[in-house]
């Protein structure tokens, strides 16, 4: 089909301009639509055609009525149809108009042929000329359509008049053809002028906007930009809050492992989009030096381990081996801005995975104590395995860092990461290693709270067990052997099938058989599966317990599932290897049913807070948004809390006067400042009743300025929690304030 309109300029591609043009066409077409039917009906009523050709007249009237109804559908429902598909409406209306022109042409031809060039025919011809003159002006912007439309409506009648072979017929036919040519020429000029006028207006508008922006003060422009970014970030946060909150409420109990993994991937994708929004807002705050850090006590080891676990699926999808190594002297608990630290590390880790040239990304975390309680955390993210001896040879390369920024390989994330690190008393550098590849180094100042957490101790039933590590990366293997020694397990490292079989045989001959084999499976291969099958089918090693470390994506393949189902002595462990998961796997595979694992949560397990009284913690949520209520309630229940929901500040005050709650989560943006007044009333009630217990009230807020936060704390809030709610942040607030509430009562 011929395309009757092709957009060739900016204004012709502008949706609003095309809407106005098509609306103008529809408006004037409605008038002519009804008029055509009335004129023809009158000509039949007062002329001879109806009496001479009654059947033909009925057919012509019926056809005109149907065509009129067809065009009326597109004209009188213009806004509804056009909003769905503008181009489709235009095309379909053009086709309907062609049908109308064809039928009108049939009417003219019939009248001319039956009656000749008499009064009735001449009146219809005169009306046709007048009608198409007005149509030409309206449809002038669509010249391709108009030429065909006029030709169909006018030329067949002219040809019929010529076929009458009369002087009047030849004269009127010539006039009709000449008039057709004049209308086409006039429409072409009118249409070109129409688009040129709109194009000129568009250019003038753009130029005026440019001059307006140039006249603005640069400082005012920066403030406007920052305000816009913050407001836009708030809008995006609200939408992402609904998405992430809904995903967090999905009941995982009835999901398969594959569905559970897909749910986690969707949640992580949403969290990355939320991080992007936060990056934009942070960038505006960094440029205006208005960024404030939210310092709190957190588990450093857990933060790093969870971060690496979160990026494991993304790394494996891109064919990148991701491993990490934590310094043995890494403190268990530190004080700092955990969210900002995670943001910086996640940005640079994502960059290293995306642009890895070696297919290997290694994260090493070390910590250096100062004489005071302060310490310096260093996180090295390398896209190649390197040795500590290369550390002195590595050179700082700020030129390459600048090039990375300019070429957009890291985008706004690097600038934000550098700014955040500097706000935390540190820095971000890019080093080039002698062994090749890039190394991103993050340094951050933190306050040491606790040097040693409770480690995974040696269990009596694990003591003396022998573990063979096959194909693990060098540095991971060395660190793991040391950790196994702390558990009382003797670890040995080999590489390849031949070494593994040889070591198993020699250990059996020496009377010190291996109890379990841990096989590391590389990406894009199933070498571990082949080795596992050989060991499982060999008579001497058929009963040997095996654990294969592989990615989630590899584990879900049909080949691996069939292997695990066939050989029950084989199990899987997700990469990268987390010590706690390995410890639990050893307890299970080595028949240590009584192994006591300290109930400290793994990176993927929730912490259930302890209430300050018998039973679970009671939390009151004051929120008027339904989705936010569902999100907060779902997360709190997942954390083991009893939750009660209210919609307004007065309701919260009334229920707190009757019932006891351990914590209150209150939306600070409730209508008419009822949230702030509610906190003030709660504090006044506590004073009036001489209560020795102050219920912690946490404000759920969007990003606010320092002055706005100060006003909230002055009103009686104890802490703040950013929207949209993040599971880890909520968990941290519960740990902080429920512990404080408990200690306060004991005193």
């Amino acid at each position: 089909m011929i395309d009757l309109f092709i957009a060739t300029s900016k204004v012709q591609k502008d949706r609003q301009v095309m809407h106005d043009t098509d609306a103008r066409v529809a408006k004037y077409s409605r008038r002519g639509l009804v008029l055509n039917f009335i004129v023809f009906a009158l000509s039949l009523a007062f002329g001879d055609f109806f009496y001479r050709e009654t059947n033909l007249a009925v057919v012509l009237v019926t056809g005109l009525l149907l065509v009129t109804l067809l065009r009326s559908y597109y004209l009188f429902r213009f806004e509804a149809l056009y909003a769905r598909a503008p181009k489709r409406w235009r095309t379909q209306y053009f086709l309907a108009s062609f049908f109308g022109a064809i039928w009108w042409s049939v009417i003219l031809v019939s009248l001319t042929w039956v009656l000749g060039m008499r009064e009735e025919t001449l009146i219809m011809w005169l009306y046709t000329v007048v009608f198409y003159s007005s149509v030409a002006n309206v449809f002038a912007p669509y010249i391709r359509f108009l030429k065909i439309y006029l030709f169909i409506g006018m030329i067949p009648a002219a040809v019929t008049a010529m076929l009458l072979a009369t002087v009047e017929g030849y004269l009127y036919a010539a006039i009709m053809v000449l008039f057709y040519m004049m209308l086409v020429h006039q429409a072409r000029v009118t249409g070109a002028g129409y688009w040129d006028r709109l194009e000129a207006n568009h250019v003038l508008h753009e130029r005026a906007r440019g001059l307006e922006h140039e006249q603005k003060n640069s400082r005012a422009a920066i403030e406007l930009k920052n305000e816009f970014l913050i407001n836009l970030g708030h809008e995006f946060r609200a939408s992402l809050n609904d998405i992430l909150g809904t995903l967090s409420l999905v009941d995982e109990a009835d999901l398969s492992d594959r569905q559970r993994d897909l749910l986690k991937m969707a949640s992580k994708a949403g969290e990355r989009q939320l991080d992007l929004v936060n990056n934009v807002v942070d960038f505006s705050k960094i440029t205006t030096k208005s960024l404030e850090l939210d310092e709190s006590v957190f588990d450093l080891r857990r933060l790093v381990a969870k971060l690496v676990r979160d990026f494991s699926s993304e790394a494996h999808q891109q064919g990148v081996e991701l491993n990490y190594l934590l310094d043995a002297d890494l403190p268990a608990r530190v004080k700092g801005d955990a969210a900002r630290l995670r943001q910086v590390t996640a940005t640079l880790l994502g960059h290293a995975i995306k642009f890895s040239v070696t297919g290997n990304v290694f994260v090493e975390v070390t910590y250096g104590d100062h004489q005071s309680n302060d310490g310096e955390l260093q996180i090295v993210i390398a896209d190649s395995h390197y040795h500590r001896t290369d550390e002195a040879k590595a050179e700082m390369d700020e030129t390459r860092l600048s090039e990375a920024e300019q070429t957009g390989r890291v985008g706004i994330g690097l600038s934000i990461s550098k700014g955040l690190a500097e706000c935390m008393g540190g820095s971000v550098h890019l080093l080039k290693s002698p062994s090749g590849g890039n190394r991103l180094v993050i340094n951050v100042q933190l306050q040491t709270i606790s040097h040693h957490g409770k480690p995974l101790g040696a269990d009596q039933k694990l003591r003396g067990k022998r573990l063979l590590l096959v194909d693990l990366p060098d540095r991971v293997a060395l660190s793991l052997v040391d950790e196994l020694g702390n558990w009382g397990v003797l670890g040995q490292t080999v590489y390849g099938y031949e070494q593994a079989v040889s070591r198993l045989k020699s250990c059996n001959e020496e009377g010190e058989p291996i109890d379990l084999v841990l096989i590391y499976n590389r990406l894009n291969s199933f070498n571990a599966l082949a080795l596992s099958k050989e060991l499982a089918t060999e008579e001497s090693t058929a009963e040997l317990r095996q654990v294969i470390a592989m990615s989630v994506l590899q584990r879900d393949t049909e080949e691996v599932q069939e292997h695990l189902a066939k050989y029950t002595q084989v199990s899987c462990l997700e990469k990268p290897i987390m010590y706690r998961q390995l410890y639990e796997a050893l307890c299970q595979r080595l028949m240590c049913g009584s192994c006591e694992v300290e109930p400290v949560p793994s990176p993927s397990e929730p912490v259930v807070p302890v209430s300050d009284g018998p039973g679970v913690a009671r939390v009151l949520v004051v929120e008027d948004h339904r989705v936010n209520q569902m999100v907060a309630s779902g997360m709190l229940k997942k954390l083991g809390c009893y939750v009660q929901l209210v919609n307004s500040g007065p309701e919260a005050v009334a229920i707190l006067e009757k019932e006891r709650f351990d914590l209150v989560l209150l939306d600070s943006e409730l209508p008419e400042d009822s949230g702030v007044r509610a906190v003030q009333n709660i504090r006044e009630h506590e004073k009036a009743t001489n209560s020795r217990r102050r219920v912690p009230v946490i404000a759920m807020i969007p990003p606010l300025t320092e002055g706005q936060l100060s006003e909230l704390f002055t009103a009686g809030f104890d802490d703040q929690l950013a929207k949209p709610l993040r599971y880890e942040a909520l968990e941290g607030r519960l740990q902080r304030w429920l512990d404080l509430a408990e200690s306060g009562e004991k005193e």
Side-chain angles (χ1 to χ4, degrees), residues 52 99 117 142 217 364 369 475 539 544 566 682 722:
R52 296 179 60 176
F99 287 132
M117 304 306 296
Y142 304 115
N217 183 274
E364 183 176 14
D369 274 324
R475 304 189 66 198
E539 184 178 353
L544 182 63
K566 184 176 182 180
I682 291 171

Side-chain angles (χ1 to χ4, degrees), residues 191-202:
Y194 177 85
W195 293 120
D196 289 341
R197 185 171 63 257
L198 290 178
E199 187 73 30
N201 289 337
H202 178 76

Side-chain angles (χ1 to χ4, degrees), residues 477-514:
L478 291 174
S479 176
L480 186 54
V481 168
D482 291 339
E483 184 67 21
L484 290 172
N486 296 333
W487 304 347
V489 178
L490 177 62
Q492 304 179 46
T493 304
V494 296
Y495 297 93
Y497 172 73
E498 294 182 357
Q499 287 189 20
V501 173
S502 176
R503 182 64 59 87
L504 289 171
K505 183 177 179 181
S506 62
C507 288
N508 286 333
E509 293 175 351
E510 295 171 2
E512 297 178 343
I514 297 296

Side-chain angles (χ1 to χ4, degrees), residues 292-305:
E292 298 179 7
L293 298 178
D294 180 20
E295 295 191 348
S296 59
V297 178
F298 62 94
D299 188 328
L300 181 57
R301 288 178 174 270
R302 184 181 178 216
L303 183 144
V304 175

Side-chain angles (χ1 to χ4, degrees), residues 694-724:
R694 176 187 172 98
V695 59
V697 180
I698 300 177
M700 297 184 291
I701 60 172
L704 300 177
T705 63
E706 183 177 358
Q708 291 171 322
L709 285 173
S710 178
E711 292 177 2
L712 291 180
F713 291 138
T714 302
F717 285 95
D718 297 290
D719 203 345
Q720 55 89 17
L721 193 59
K723 287 184 177 180

Side-chain angles (χ1 to χ4, degrees), residues 296-482:
S296 59
V297 178
F298 62 94
D299 188 328
L300 181 57
R301 288 178 174 270
R302 184 181 178 216
L303 183 144
V304 175
K306 186 179 187 305
L307 184 64
V308 174
R309 173 63 65 84
D310 289 344
F311 274 89
S312 60
S313 295
E314 179 179 339
H316 295 163
Q317 284 179 334
Q318 299 190 34
V320 175
E321 289 280 358
L322 177 62
N323 285 290
Y324 77 109
L325 185 62
L326 302 182
D327 189 358
D329 296 329
L330 203 65
R333 297 176 69 80
V334 295
K335 185 176 182 180
D337 194 329
R340 304 297 187 191
L341 175 60
R342 186 190 185 283
Q343 181 178 346
V344 172
T345 309
T347 299
L348 299 182
L349 180 55
H351 166 70
I353 292 173
K354 183 177 181 180
F355 296 106
S356 175
V357 296
T358 63
N360 293 282
V361 171
F362 197 86
V363 181
E364 183 176 14
V365 184
T366 57
Y367 193 87
D369 274 324
H370 297 167
Q371 292 182 351
S372 61
N373 290 333
D374 294 336
E376 183 177 58
L377 173 70
Q378 183 177 87
I379 302 176
V380 179
I381 304 173
D383 64 358
S384 62
H385 295 298
Y386 65 94
H387 302 283
R388 295 296 293 181
T389 54
D390 291 339
E391 186 73 26
K393 301 177 184 179
E395 300 177 1
M396 189 178 301
D397 193 351
E398 295 295 346
T399 302
R400 299 179 70 206
L401 194 60
S402 300
E403 290 177 355
E405 289 181 278
Q406 295 173 2
T407 57
R409 295 189 70 192
V410 289
I412 192 176
L414 179 58
S415 300
I416 294 172
S417 298
K418 291 172 63 178
L420 290 176
E422 290 171 0
C423 290
M424 292 187 285
S427 60
V428 172
H429 299 295
L430 177 65
L431 306 180
K432 56 181 181 181
S433 175
S435 58
N438 296 327
R439 293 169 54 198
L440 290 162
V441 181
I442 307 168
N443 293 293
V444 173
Q445 299 293 324
L446 297 172
Q447 182 180 350
T448 306
I449 301 299
S450 174
H451 281 277
H452 301 291
K454 186 176 180 181
L456 295 171
D459 188 273
Q460 189 63 33
K461 291 192 176 183
L462 282 181
R463 188 175 300 279
K465 298 295 183 180
R466 298 179 179 274
L467 180 62
L468 185 63
L469 310 177
V470 183
D471 288 341
L472 268 73
D474 293 343
R475 304 189 66 198
V476 177
L478 291 174
S479 176
L480 186 54
V481 168
D482 291 339

Side-chain angles (χ1 to χ4, degrees), residues 19 111 120 189 320 449 524 580 632 673:
H19 174 273
L111 288 171
E120 189 174 345
V189 174
V320 175
I449 301 299
N524 303 321
R580 174 164 293 278
D673 292 332

